[in-house]
């Protein structure tokens, strides 16, 4: 659809048009649509992701979590987002749309959406990539950034054997093990440099709830969370989860 200028509502019309066009010319005319339906059925019946992956396409993938700036997304909006990102593998949640995108199709910001993008991952790593995308989306919303990617840059943690790092993290964070909401609040709060307001936005809770949870974390961990060394060690441990 081409117009000499954008009018209110043109974006919605174009989105609907793209969805209809994808239905008319989409993959169900080839074998790909049937293969992906088969992949879904096999996953539901207990097949391992790596066994199903060849049916949805070879290579690595990124997970995108997207949240609209306006009302909760519907099926049309979700399909339009998937079409814009270049993938029909879309999951519509209550307020977040998840899209599995081939890694070579690098996601870009989309009008009206806030996006969190995982690192490229193989089938065995898809659950971890899903978590990465969720955290990237939370950070994007908190910082009012259209798109945030999970950082894949090597860091100091690469100098420590993975098993040793995980053992240290489990021991350090043991007081929070039974309360995952506290650990996630601490992780988000640290990632946002101790901002109460931005953490509240990222977690969809009141800022007083954030304060109470962080105070509870400090008490359970018997730690001074104003100490930058303590924050650094906790951040290292939380990144192992």
């Amino acid at each position: 659809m081409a117009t000499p200028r954008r009018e209110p509502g043109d974006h919605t019309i174009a989105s609907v048009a793209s969805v209809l066009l994808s239905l008319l010319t989409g993959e169900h005319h080839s074998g790909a649509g049937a293969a992906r339906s088969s992949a879904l059925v096999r996953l539901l019946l207990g097949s391992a992701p790596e066994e199903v992956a060849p049916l949805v396409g070879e290579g690595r993938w990124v997970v995108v979590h997207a949240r609209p700036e306006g009302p909760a997304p519907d099926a049309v909006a979700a399909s339009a987002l998937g079409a814009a990102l270049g993938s029909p593998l879309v999951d519509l949640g209550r307020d977040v749309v998840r899209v599995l995108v081939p890694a070579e199709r690098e996601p870009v910001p989309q009008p009206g959406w806030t996006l969190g993008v995982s690192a490229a991952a193989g089938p065995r790593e898809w659950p971890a990539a899903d978590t990465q995308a969720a955290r990237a989306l939370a950070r994007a919303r908190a910082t009012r950034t259209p798109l945030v990617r999970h950082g894949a840059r090597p860091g100091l943690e690469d100098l420590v054997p993975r098993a040793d790092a995980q053992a240290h993290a489990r021991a350090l964070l043991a007081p929070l093990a039974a309360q995952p909401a506290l650990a996630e609040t601490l992780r988000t709060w640290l990632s946002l440099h101790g901002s109460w307001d931005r953490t509240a936005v990222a977690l969809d809770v009141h800022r007083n709830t954030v304060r109470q949870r962080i105070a509870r974390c400090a008490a359970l961990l018997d730690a001074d969370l104003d100490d930058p060394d303590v924050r650094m060690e906790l951040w290292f441990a939380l990144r192992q989860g």
Side-chain angles (χ1 to χ4, degrees):
M1 184 181 76
T3 58
R5 63 183 182 186
R6 281 186 75 129
E7 299 288 347
D10 279 354
H11 177 68
T12 300
I13 294 171
S15 297
V16 173
S18 69
V19 173
L20 294 175
L21 184 61
S22 68
L23 291 175
L24 289 172
T25 63
E27 295 172 338
H28 62 282
H29 289 302
S30 66
R36 284 173 175 161
S37 295
S38 177
L40 175 59
V41 171
R42 293 188 191 186
L43 284 172
L44 291 172
L45 294 180
S47 293
E50 57 271 20
E51 296 175 7
V52 175
L55 295 174
V56 296
E58 298 291 344
R60 294 165 68 78
W61 300 72
V62 297
V63 178
V64 178
H65 279 219
R67 185 158 176 165
E69 296 173 1
D74 57 20
V76 172
S79 296
L81 175 65
L85 294 174
S87 175
L89 302 177
V90 177
D91 173 45
L92 173 61
R94 183 174 61 86
D95 54 5
V96 172
V97 176
R98 298 188 299 174
V99 188
L100 191 60
V101 180
E104 66 270 14
R105 300 178 185 172
E106 187 168 333
V108 297
Q110 299 296 319
W113 294 88
T114 302
L115 306 181
V117 182
S118 76
R124 289 181 180 272
E125 302 163 324
W126 284 349
D130 188 48
T131 300
Q132 291 173 2
R135 291 172 180 164
L137 175 61
R139 186 169 182 81
R141 294 186 64 239
T143 56
R144 295 179 174 83
T145 305
L147 185 150
V148 167
R149 303 177 192 277
H150 176 77
R153 183 177 61 186
L156 290 176
E157 65 187 46
D158 297 314
L159 302 177
V160 181
R162 179 72 170 166
D164 293 345
Q166 290 178 334
H168 173 73
R170 284 194 298 271
L172 184 62
L173 300 173
L176 307 182
Q179 302 184 64
L182 292 183
E184 187 60 25
T185 299
L186 180 59
R187 180 199 306 277
T188 305
W189 183 73
L190 289 173
S191 76
L192 295 170
H193 310 291
S195 170
W196 308 109
D197 291 331
R198 290 194 293 168
T199 303
V201 171
L203 297 175
D204 277 333
V205 298
H206 194 277
R207 70 194 306 272
N208 288 342
T209 301
V210 176
R211 287 183 176 275
Q212 292 164 6
R213 290 180 182 177
I214 295 301
R216 182 63 176 155
C217 288
L220 289 172
L221 295 169
D222 190 23
D224 178 9
L225 297 184
D226 291 328
D227 186 329
D229 289 334
V230 171
R231 290 194 185 195
M232 180 181 67
E233 187 173 13
L234 287 171
W235 178 246
F236 174 86
L238 287 162
R239 284 177 58 87
Q240 306 310 310

